[in-house]
Amino acid sequence: MNYGFDGKVALVTGAGSGIGRASAIGFAASGARVIVSDVNETGGTETVEMIRAAGGAAVFQNCDVSEADQVKALVARAVSEYGGLDFAHNNAGINSMMANEYDDDVWAKSLGVNLTGVMLCMREESEVMLKAGKGAIVNTSSINGLVGNGAQPGYVATKHGVVGLTRHGALRWAQQGVRVNAVCPGVVETGMTAPLAANPEMRKVLDSMTPMGRMGRPEEIASAVLWLCSDQASFVTGHALVIDGGATAV
């Protein structure tokens, strides 16, 4: 669906693959000029090339969202390159499913990327949007930001925190033209799930985790992100939108 974002500027973190790539491509397909950001320069550059090949406009900016100076430079790039910032999808995140999240270093990294990174992005993005008196921010949380998970303390804690930051921003800027929402995906076919999904038996397990009997696709999450940024969602703020094939309905 084309949301008529002609002339608008969108920033997407974690856009080198998966949900972030699908979101960046979706913004561009609707006419927005896109700042594609990721720590993976190869993946980010590929996303830009895909957008340009389809006739869209995009540039890449390498950014570790856990570093304040890099986030500041990222948002400044949007302003210098395209003149402003209308939409932001704060999607960069890590999932330490194969590690011990109680390990000090793993915990610190999860907190830095998944939670501090979202805060730093919101802080810089909102500054530009508030000056313009308008804007929409969407943060990627997870169904693990709403329900528990006995295996991943860092992931669960940070994703719950993202929902909290989302509600905070929505209330703080509700009367200043800036809306803040979150998407909470269930199991999605991305680089995070790929190592497990490569095993046929594990793939069956992943598919069985939702009542619909399959994993979600990145484009299905991205479509919700675009809608939340569009004028069609003009009265929606502070919402954590679950997109999980029914997993949390049980």
Side-chain angles (χ1 to χ4, degrees):
M1 180 175 180
N2 190 321
Y3 284 100
F5 291 155
D6 292 349
K8 303 295 186 179
V9 181
L11 185 159
V12 183
T13 66
S17 62
I19 293 170
R21 171 174 285 176
S23 174
I25 290 173
F27 275 119
S30 284
R33 295 162 291 172
V34 186
I35 302 292
V36 171
S37 173
D38 206 294
V39 292
N40 181 347
E41 188 158 348
T42 299
T45 300
E46 288 175 352
T47 300
V48 169
E49 290 173 350
M50 293 168 72
I51 290 172
R52 290 177 177 173
V59 294
F60 174 72
Q61 178 85 6
N62 193 307
C63 178
D64 178 347
V65 296
S66 68
E67 298 291 337
D69 57 341
Q70 292 189 36
V71 174
K72 185 180 288 290
L74 173 64
V75 175
R77 176 76 185 278
V79 176
S80 64
E81 190 78 31
Y82 294 132
L85 183 62
D86 299 284
F87 313 126
H89 180 195
N90 298 322
N91 172 73
I94 58 174
N95 187 329
S96 304
M97 64 176 72
M98 306 304 287
N100 175 14
E101 289 188 348
Y102 281 114
D103 178 84
D104 289 347
D105 291 340
V106 177
W107 174 270
K109 187 170 183 179
S110 294
L111 190 68
V113 176
N114 292 354
L115 186 57
T116 300
V118 172
M119 181 278 290
L120 292 173
C121 286
M122 286 176 60
R123 185 175 72 185
E124 299 301 326
E125 293 155 358
S126 64
E127 184 176 331
V128 176
M129 292 177 178
L130 290 169
K131 288 179 180 177
K134 59 184 177 64
I137 296 172
V138 178
N139 300 320
T140 296
S141 180
S142 165
I143 57 171
N144 288 151
L146 301 172
V147 298
N149 176 331
Q152 298 169 281
Y155 191 72
V156 169
T158 56
K159 291 303 184 178
H160 271 72
V162 169
V163 173
L165 277 174
T166 297
R167 291 170 175 160
H168 155 78
L171 294 173
R172 185 179 182 94
W173 304 313
Q175 296 186 27
Q176 296 169 274
V178 177
R179 297 184 297 108
V180 188
N181 292 288
V183 288
C184 298
V187 183
V188 180
E189 293 191 67
T190 67
M192 286 186 180
T193 56
L196 295 176
N199 181 312
E201 292 304 312
M202 233 9 256
R203 174 63 186 244
K204 291 179 182 178
V205 172
L206 291 170
D207 286 340
S208 70
M209 290 174 70
T210 66
M212 291 181 71
R214 67 172 177 85
M215 289 192 283
R217 297 184 297 272
E219 294 77 14
E220 292 175 309
I221 314 304
S223 65
V225 173
L226 298 181
W227 178 75
L228 286 169
C229 287
S230 75
D231 289 341
Q232 294 182 33
S234 57
F235 201 52
V236 181
T237 196
H239 184 60
L241 179 59
V242 176
I243 315 164
D244 69 351
T248 55
V250 297

